[in-house]
Amino acid sequence: MKEITDIIKAYQKATKEKKKTALATVVKVEGSSYRRPGARMLVTEDGQLTGAISGGCLEGDALRKALSAIVQQENKLITYDTTDEDDAKFGVQLGCNGIVHILFEPVIEADELNPIAFLIALQRKRAQAVLATLFSLTDKLQLGTSLLFRNEPVLSTIPKSISDEVIKDIQEVFKNKTSAFKVYEQKTQHIDAFLEFIKPPISLIITGAGNDARPLAEMAYLLGWEVTVIDGRPTHATPQRFANASSILVSKPENVLGQIQIDEQTAFVLMTHNYNYDRELLKYLLATNVPYIGTLGPKKKLLRMLDELDLATQANETRVHGPIGLDIGAETAEEIAVSILAEIKSVFTGASAMFLKEKKKPIHVYELKKINL
């Protein structure tokens, strides 16, 4: 989601400066690639790039293709086949041995349903959504970003001839919470669709505004997470100390839950260094469905809190991560922040947090998955 936020900001800046732009989106990958479907990059007519569609090796040629789309004012689908030696001759070398399909869409400001309008509508509300991008691997018809769905269509430019079928498939994607690819038939044309399931960014609630919380808040912001800092001390919970936090609250434990929103992308980190504050807040959190709770400090501290609250069950001990973080030998506040963020990320993605070199399956779990709804 951070990439989308950065793209929107870059587009708005370019618009003020009267610069034309194009949006490049990875719509399909066969084999290995540095970026997966859904990766995006905004290109301005003077060559400024925001976002990324590869590790840097495609951007040079993608710039030329984007400029062509801007000049011709039409969508273009470009395929980069890194298994083809001819691509290597032209300098397009991903080192990944895969085929990458990228859709280039000129962004026409006067068009109220241009691709950036869909991204702005997506960002406007913190909720799960499906974004449909239509293209064709066999025909010239490249419809582009075409539908935003949240329980019902929000924005749509889907052709009426396939609208019902697309929406039916999107409802299934929304239910399964898994992106999918689909092919539709319109008269004699084949329309490919990338139905992208998008979650809101992780909402990180940091209780404790000490010096060790500052690198955690800053690193989470760099990841594009929404950061809230809560502390009972007005001298510590200030915008001067946490400039990039979305929200800063001075609150007692019993008032915290009434001031925040909890959803399935919410993570709490208890690091006030005030035992009574953390224990009280833990009591209220365990009565909610918050999916991640982490406590700073030794395991015996967590077990003591649960015992005093009469909540020392196996389920609660499993649900609460204490001591918080992955074992990376962290010592400094910055290293501890890396450890904490890595654990939270692995929990929300269901990843193993193992060494990648020891992983037997593809790095991206859906790399070999071809979903036909």
Side-chain angles (χ1 to χ4, degrees):
M1 187 63 79
K2 182 179 187 300
E3 189 168 66
I4 290 176
T5 300
D6 291 343
I7 284 173
I8 292 172
K9 290 179 179 178
Y11 170 73
Q12 292 170 338
K13 181 176 183 292
T15 299
K16 289 180 180 179
E17 297 173 353
K18 306 298 182 184
K19 296 178 182 177
K20 296 179 180 179
T21 60
L23 182 67
T25 304
V26 178
V27 291
K28 192 168 186 179
V29 170
E30 301 167 53
S32 299
S33 175
Y34 186 84
R35 295 299 306 271
R36 309 306 302 165
R40 293 176 174 85
M41 181 176 75
L42 186 77
V43 181
T44 64
E45 61 181 330
D46 60 348
Q48 296 181 37
L49 309 178
T50 303
I53 52 172
S54 75
C57 38
L58 279 185
E59 273 67 5
D61 189 73
L63 171 59
R64 292 187 287 273
K65 299 298 191 297
L67 294 179
S68 175
I70 291 173
V71 171
Q72 297 180 28
Q73 290 290 281
E74 65 179 19
N75 296 347
K76 293 179 177 293
L77 183 74
I78 304 298
T79 298
Y80 295 96
D81 186 352
T82 60
T83 65
D84 188 341
E85 292 184 359
D86 286 337
D87 272 357
K89 292 176 184 177
F90 289 105
V92 181
Q93 302 181 57
L94 301 184
C96 296
N97 196 34
I99 301 173
V100 185
H101 304 278
I102 300 176
L103 181 67
F104 295 87
E105 301 175 81
V107 184
I108 303 171
E109 184 183 357
D111 182 2
E112 295 181 353
L113 294 177
N114 68 50
I116 299 298
F118 283 87
L119 299 185
I120 291 174
L122 170 69
Q123 190 192 51
R124 192 170 290 138
K125 184 177 180 180
R126 181 179 172 80
Q128 297 174 347
V130 178
L131 193 61
T133 304
L134 304 186
F135 58 101
S136 178
L137 297 176
T138 58
D139 299 308
K140 291 185 177 181
L141 182 66
Q142 309 298 339
L143 296 175
T145 308
S146 301
L147 190 146
L148 175 64
F149 182 94
R150 286 197 193 98
N151 294 316
E152 61 181 13
V154 177
L155 294 178
S156 178
T157 59
I158 297 285
K160 291 184 179 180
S161 59
I162 60 171
S163 179
D164 290 344
E165 192 177 356
V166 173
I167 291 175
K168 180 181 177 182
D169 290 337
I170 284 178
Q171 289 172 331
E172 193 68 20
V173 167
F174 198 84
K175 176 183 176 182
N176 295 333
K177 301 181 180 182
T178 303
S179 298
F181 297 91
K182 182 71 176 177
V183 178
Y184 302 97
E185 303 292 335
Q186 181 178 257
K187 296 181 180 179
T188 60
Q189 293 178 316
H190 298 269
I191 300 176
D192 296 88
F194 172 41
L195 308 180
E196 180 184 7
F197 179 76
I198 301 177
K199 297 179 181 179
I202 292 174
S203 173
L204 178 63
I205 316 294
I206 304 172
T207 57
N211 288 339
D212 56 347
R214 295 177 70 181
L216 178 62
E218 190 63 24
M219 291 183 190
Y221 164 76
L222 292 175
L223 292 174
W225 299 4
E226 294 180 1
V227 180
T228 298
V229 177
I230 303 174
D231 200 294
R233 301 166 294 179
T235 55
H236 286 63
T238 67
Q240 291 75 26
R241 289 171 55 79
F242 297 92
N244 290 314
S246 301
S247 178
I248 301 173
L249 304 174
V250 177
S251 178
K252 295 180 179 180
E254 60 268 27
N255 298 327
V256 166
L257 296 184
Q259 301 178 73
I260 61 171
Q261 174 186 348
I262 292 178
D263 57 33
E264 59 184 27
Q265 288 285 101
T266 301
F268 263 87
V269 176
L270 310 185
M271 53 188 305
T272 66
H273 300 284
N274 181 323
Y275 179 84
N276 291 329
Y277 191 108
D278 285 352
R279 183 190 60 190
E280 277 301 292
L281 184 54
L282 181 61
K283 176 180 69 175
Y284 295 114
L285 289 177
L286 288 174
T288 72
N289 60 351
V290 62
Y292 180 97
I293 305 169
T295 63
L296 201 65
K299 182 74 171 181
K300 61 182 180 181
K301 172 190 171 183
L302 171 60
L303 295 178
R304 178 186 168 191
M305 287 194 293
L306 291 173
D307 186 60
E308 290 178 0
L309 294 171
D310 197 25
L311 294 171
T313 66
Q314 184 176 355
N316 283 338
E317 290 179 23
T318 301
R319 181 182 177 193
V320 185
H321 300 256
I324 190 173
L326 299 183
D327 183 8
I328 61 172
E331 293 288 344
T332 67
E334 291 78 11
E335 291 171 347
I336 292 171
V338 171
S339 168
I340 292 172
L341 294 172
E343 179 182 83
I344 293 172
K345 177 65 176 177
S346 68
V347 168
F348 278 97
T349 58
S352 63
M354 66 189 295
F355 291 131
L356 286 177
K357 68 178 183 180
E358 296 178 356
K359 192 170 184 178
K360 304 302 181 184
K361 296 182 179 180
I363 294 175
H364 301 284
V365 294
Y366 56 91
E367 184 163 0
L368 300 180
K369 199 184 283 185
K370 291 187 177 179
I371 302 172
N372 293 310
L373 297 174

